Amino acid sequence: MSFQGTGMGFQPGTTKADPERQERIEERRKRIQARVKEKVGKQEAHDGKTITKEEGRSKLGSGPQQVHASRSHIDKVQRSGSMMVDAVQQSSDERENIRRINEEERRRVRWQNLDTEARVSAKRNAAVAMRWASILEKDIPEEILAEMMLQREECDRIVLSKDTLIAEFERELRNKDETYVKSLKKQAEDIDTLIDNMNKQTEEMNRTYSEELTEVERGFLTDREELMSKHEVEINGLLETRQRLEQEFMERKASLIKEYQSQFDDERAREAEEHNSMKIKLETKVQRLEQDFQQIQATFQLNTEKLEYNFLILFEKDIENHNVKNQLKRKTTKLSDMLSNMMTRYNELNDKYKSENNQLTEEYKRVTEQFKDLQTKFLHFQKLDAQRYRDIWDMHEKSVTTLMQKVLKADKIVHEQQLGLEWAPPSSEIFQLRTSEAVADPNAQDGAGTSSKQLARPENKKTRLILQMLCDEAGFLVEGKVKRMLDKIDKNERNLMKVESIIRALAIDTKEGMEMLVTHFVEKAMAEGDQRLVDPTTAVHCLQNFVDEYREMGGPTAAAPGTDNPSKTSRREEQQFWERMSNVISGKTNRLWENLYEQMQKLNSILMERQKKITGNQQLEVQNLDLRKLLSQYMSARVNDDLYIPPAQMLQLQQQGST
């Protein structure tokens, strides 16, 4: 094929490329030619299969069959023309690929030269910089001049090496310009070749389209004659049906006209009655509006007279104001003179007070030094007092915790053993000692805060919810430059940046400050340990309360861990600790204990009475046993036989009488 010869004949840069690169280029050309041949073979096979399928569809008309055949022929012509155009593009792409490979190699060499020059220049510059120290140490002018000349020679060598590198780059730039001009010429030649191929392809396509269009038109004319004869019969039948339907429609239309005419007459009579009634109402309304108009006209006349009177009064006042204005101008002139005198006096006093200010500044510096010494002593004693306070606090805290654990143990025994109820232990947080920040080492340095990024990533879920609430309700605290950056990042990073900006705006740099913020956004319920977040509508109010309290405490300095004196935050934590200790046993449990104590007292009194009665019963049983023994002895005595009526018979008679 002709395009293969054109692509193989042009080989830019072969004189500079190595043999291995030339072999790779030849292999790439062979692969491209093989792909083109394979593509052409597949297309011809596909066309053959399509024609075979179309031959089986003999039931179609001659028009569609001719259209398909014409399309197949036109596709073949288009493919042949496209292959001629693609040959030029492939040749151009191959030249560009070779040029880019050579350019990459030259770029690598240039970067290597630049890197080498940079390292050498850095070493020479370092040597020059190191020699300046030795030059400055010399005192003899001749030696200094000699060293300066050496430094100048070394600097000239550095500049010469850079000039050499610049000349190489300029030479490379000129070569690139020449290469660019050659590429433009070759591109112009390729474009001419491409235009010639496109013109040939256009002429071939025009001729092919004309021939195939004539054949398609001939086929469709044959189909048209057949369809005309077939459709003429169908149209005659449809016309007869249409005439019959039109006759039926005219009859139905006449009946509907009569019906609608009667309805129209009735509706017109009803509308006439409504029109008469509406006319009477409107005439009445017009009369009422005329009366209102006359009344408004009288009011307008009265207002006009009032306005004329007011105008006269305002005119007289304007004259008076003009006189007052003239008086004020004279007063302004007088005050200007006084101002110039005062400015002269002010300059004199300003010079006097400047000298006094300088004296007071010196006095202030001296007092400031004394205050710093006093503050150092105060901090020392403050640390000692804080350490003593922490020791006493730890001792009492542990003793109170031990007592509360004993109380809870007693409460567990009362619930499980006395009442038989399930005992729910309180949260372990009530026995939690003060945080490490509250009992930190008093010798820790001041200002050891936490960054806003760490505070913006809390581990507590409640704190994260509060920060999210601040992002939604307190967006006015976000800086302007942060707002401009939010649209360029994703949602998670956007919320994190907003939280960091809000924390910086509130000047929170410690965990104590963050805990104080959390306490203002949490409301306590009646049940122990039941806490929930405030309503988002009150978030701004809670934030204002936090800012006021935070400022009263002194801001981040007062809340920072490592201050010697316990802060208000620690005091509040201690107060909360004592409140938790006092509420370990709730009021409900306390009332339960009191009722249980009363019932246990009553039970004790009942058991004591029962014990006394049991003791009395035992004594009566002993007495009954003794009496039975005496009675048995009395009944079994022999003296009873001598009696007229023995006691045993009397007992029998009594028993019989009772029965």
Side-chain angles (χ1 to χ4, degrees):
M1 299 175 67
S2 62
F3 70 92
Q4 293 177 358
T6 303
M8 293 293 290
F10 183 78
Q11 299 178 1
T14 54
T15 57
K16 296 182 180 180
D18 54 1
E20 295 180 356
R21 185 181 303 161
Q22 189 64 29
E23 292 177 0
R24 291 196 299 270
I25 294 171
E26 294 294 336
E27 291 176 358
R28 190 179 296 109
R29 290 174 180 169
K30 293 179 181 179
R31 287 196 299 271
I32 292 171
Q33 294 174 3
R35 290 196 192 100
V36 172
K37 292 179 180 179
E38 183 179 358
K39 183 176 180 180
V40 172
K42 289 182 179 180
Q43 189 65 35
E44 291 176 356
H46 178 71
D47 294 338
K49 292 180 181 179
T50 304
I51 293 171
T52 304
K53 290 180 181 179
E54 290 297 333
E55 289 176 356
R57 300 176 182 177
S58 59
K59 295 181 180 181
L60 295 175
S62 59
Q65 292 179 0
Q66 182 61 39
V67 168
H68 183 76
S70 299
R71 285 179 178 175
S72 300
H73 182 65
I74 290 170
D75 291 338
K76 289 182 180 180
V77 175
Q78 287 180 347
R79 284 196 297 273
S80 63
S82 298
M83 290 173 61
M84 293 174 64
V85 174
D86 291 340
V88 178
Q89 182 180 2
Q90 291 174 2
S91 175
S92 177
D93 292 342
E94 186 176 0
R95 291 195 303 272
E96 179 64 19
N97 189 19
I98 295 172
R99 186 193 66 78
R100 289 184 180 182
I101 293 172
N102 296 331
E103 179 62 25
E104 185 65 26
E105 179 64 23
R106 288 193 294 272
R107 186 183 292 108
R108 186 185 63 78
V109 173
R110 287 197 300 272
W111 276 109
Q112 186 175 1
N113 293 336
L114 282 174
D115 189 18
T116 304
E117 174 61 24
R119 288 197 298 269
V120 173
S121 298
K123 291 179 180 179
R124 290 179 177 177
N125 289 329
V128 170
M130 291 174 64
R131 293 182 63 183
W132 282 114
S134 60
I135 293 172
L136 294 176
E137 293 177 355
K138 296 180 180 297
D139 297 331
I140 301 172
E142 289 78 4
E143 295 179 356
I144 295 174
L145 179 60
E147 293 293 334
M148 291 293 290
M149 295 303 295
L150 292 176
Q151 290 286 83
R152 182 175 181 180
E153 293 176 359
E154 187 65 25
C155 292
D156 292 338
R157 285 195 292 271
I158 295 172
V159 173
L160 181 61
S161 62
K162 293 186 178 295
D163 292 338
T164 303
L165 188 62
I166 291 171
E168 292 179 358
F169 277 103
E170 290 177 351
R171 185 170 57 257
E172 185 68 23
L173 183 61
R174 289 193 296 272
N175 294 334
K176 283 184 175 293
D177 292 337
E178 295 175 358
T179 304
Y180 177 73
V181 173
K182 293 179 181 179
S183 299
L184 289 177
K185 292 180 180 179
K186 185 61 181 176
Q187 187 177 9
E189 295 176 359
D190 293 340
I191 290 173
D192 294 337
T193 304
L194 183 63
I195 291 173
D196 294 338
N197 294 336
M198 291 173 66
N199 291 331
K200 294 178 181 179
Q201 177 69 11
T202 303
E203 294 174 357
E204 181 68 20
M205 290 298 296
N206 288 331
R207 184 181 60 77
T208 304
Y209 273 119
S210 299
E211 295 175 356
E212 297 299 331
L213 184 61
T214 303
E215 296 295 331
V216 169
E217 186 177 1
R218 188 180 296 111
F220 276 105
L221 288 174
T222 304
D223 294 341
R224 180 177 178 277
E225 293 175 357
E226 295 176 358
L227 288 174
M228 287 291 290
S229 60
K230 179 180 178 182
H231 290 166
E232 186 177 0
V233 177
E234 294 179 358
I235 288 171
N236 293 329
L238 291 174
L239 288 174
E240 294 177 357
T241 304
R242 181 176 179 275
Q243 291 177 357
R244 179 175 54 79
L245 292 175
E246 285 179 352
Q247 184 66 28
E248 294 177 356
F249 174 74
M250 292 299 294
E251 294 175 356
R252 287 197 304 271
K253 182 178 179 181
S255 62
L256 289 174
I257 287 172
K258 293 179 180 180
E259 182 180 357
Y260 291 156
Q261 184 66 32
S262 62
Q263 293 179 0
F264 175 74
D265 294 337
D266 297 338
E267 187 69 21
R268 184 170 60 182
R270 186 177 60 81
E271 290 292 337
E273 294 176 358
E274 292 180 356
H275 173 72
N276 293 329
S277 62
M278 181 63 69
K279 182 179 180 181
I280 294 169
K281 291 180 181 179
L282 291 176
E283 288 177 352
T284 305
K285 188 175 181 180
V286 167
Q287 293 176 0
R288 188 170 59 254
L289 290 174
E290 287 178 352
Q291 294 175 359
D292 294 339
F293 174 73
Q294 292 176 0
Q295 185 178 0
I296 291 171
Q297 191 174 11
T299 305
F300 173 76
Q301 184 66 26
L302 179 61
N303 291 333
T304 303
E305 294 177 356
K306 289 181 180 180
L307 290 173
E308 290 177 354
Y309 175 73
N310 291 332
F311 175 75
L312 294 174
I313 293 173
L314 291 174
F315 182 73
E316 293 178 357
K317 286 185 177 180
D318 184 60
I319 295 172
E320 293 178 358
N321 291 333
H322 184 69
N323 296 330
V324 172
K325 184 177 179 182
N326 293 330
Q327 293 177 1
L328 291 175
K329 285 182 178 179
R330 291 192 295 272
K331 189 176 181 180
T332 302
T333 305
K334 183 179 178 181
L335 291 175
S336 299
D337 297 336
M338 293 176 64
L339 178 63
S340 60
N341 296 330
M342 294 298 292
M343 288 298 297
T344 305
R345 185 180 177 186
Y346 167 75
N347 293 328
E348 294 176 356
L349 292 176
N350 188 26
D351 296 336
K352 178 182 177 182
Y353 290 146
K354 279 184 179 180
S355 61
E356 292 181 359
N357 185 31
N358 294 330
Q359 295 176 1
L360 292 175
T361 302
E362 297 297 330
E363 182 67 18
Y364 170 75
K365 291 180 180 179
R366 184 179 62 80
V367 174
T368 302
E369 294 296 332
Q370 294 178 357
F371 173 74
K372 288 182 179 179
D373 296 337
L374 181 61
Q375 190 177 22
T376 303
K377 295 178 182 179
F378 172 76
L379 292 176
H380 174 69
F381 289 109
Q382 190 180 24
K383 291 178 181 179
L384 295 178
D385 293 340
Q387 183 63 35
R388 188 180 300 111
Y389 176 82
R390 292 192 192 94
D391 295 339
I392 296 173
W393 167 266
D394 293 338
M395 179 181 67
H396 289 293
E397 190 177 35
K398 292 178 181 178
S399 62
V400 169
T401 303
T402 304
L403 290 175
M404 290 299 105
Q405 289 176 354
K406 291 181 180 179
V407 171
L408 289 176
K409 185 176 181 181
D411 186 37
K412 180 180 179 182
I413 294 172
V414 168
H415 277 75
E416 294 180 352
Q417 298 183 8
Q418 299 296 331
L419 301 178
L421 299 175
E422 183 179 359
W423 181 69
S427 177
S428 60
E429 294 181 356
I430 63 173
F431 296 110
Q432 185 178 2
L433 299 179
R434 288 185 299 169
T435 57
S436 59
E437 289 83 357
V439 293
D441 186 7
N443 296 323
Q445 294 181 356
D446 297 339
T450 307
S451 64
S452 59
K453 292 185 178 180
Q454 296 177 354
L455 295 175
R457 296 180 174 87
E459 298 180 356
N460 191 357
K461 181 179 179 181
K462 179 171 63 179
T463 306
R464 291 197 297 270
L465 293 175
I466 291 172
L467 293 177
Q468 182 63 36
M469 185 189 300
L470 287 178
C471 289
D472 298 335
E473 302 295 334
F476 55 87
L477 293 176
V478 181
E479 298 178 2
K481 60 181 181 180
V482 177
K483 289 182 179 179
R484 291 191 292 271
M485 295 172 59
L486 294 179
D487 298 335
K488 301 178 182 179
I489 57 178
D490 56 3
K491 184 177 181 182
N492 296 328
E493 293 295 332
R494 187 183 306 132
N495 292 334
L496 185 60
M497 289 186 67
K498 290 173 69 176
V499 169
E500 292 178 3
S501 180
I502 291 172
I503 290 174
R504 287 195 299 269
L506 296 175
I508 299 175
D509 57 354
T510 60
K511 293 182 179 178
E512 283 77 5
M514 185 60 67
E515 292 176 359
M516 185 188 302
L517 178 65
V518 171
T519 57
H520 282 79
F521 284 84
V522 174
E523 56 183 14
K524 297 183 180 178
M526 296 303 294
E528 180 68 23
D530 186 8
Q531 296 180 350
R532 63 177 181 270
L533 299 181
V534 299
D535 190 5
T537 58
T538 62
V540 177
H541 180 67
C542 296
L543 186 62
Q544 181 65 35
N545 295 335
F546 163 74
V547 172
D548 294 339
E549 183 177 352
Y550 201 49
R551 288 177 179 174
E552 291 177 359
M553 293 177 56
T557 303
T563 54
D564 299 329
N565 195 15
S567 63
K568 291 185 179 180
T569 303
S570 301
R571 294 295 187 187
R572 187 172 63 254
E573 291 179 355
E574 294 169 3
Q575 184 178 1
Q576 292 175 359
F577 174 78
W578 290 115
E579 288 178 357
R580 292 198 304 270
M581 292 296 101
S582 62
N583 295 325
V584 168
I585 302 300
S586 62
K588 182 179 179 181
T589 306
N590 192 14
R591 291 193 299 272
L592 178 64
W593 282 17
E594 292 176 356
N595 294 331
L596 179 63
Y597 178 74
E598 293 177 359
Q599 297 300 325
M600 293 295 289
Q601 290 290 336
K602 292 179 181 179
L603 180 62
N604 186 29
S605 61
I606 293 171
L607 292 176
M608 292 300 293
E609 292 177 0
R610 182 180 178 186
Q611 183 180 5
K612 291 178 181 179
K613 290 180 179 180
I614 290 173
T615 305
N617 290 336
Q618 291 177 355
Q619 292 176 357
L620 290 175
E621 288 178 356
V622 173
Q623 291 177 3
N624 289 334
L625 183 60
D626 294 338
L627 290 174
R628 286 179 182 176
K629 290 180 180 180
L630 290 174
L631 182 60
S632 176
Q633 292 177 2
Y634 175 72
M635 294 296 292
S636 62
R638 293 181 179 180
V639 72
N640 291 329
D641 296 336
D642 297 336
L643 298 175
Y644 289 103
I645 300 173
Q649 293 180 0
M650 291 295 294
L651 293 173
Q652 291 177 359
L653 290 172
Q654 290 177 358
Q655 290 178 357
Q656 290 177 0
S658 62
T659 56

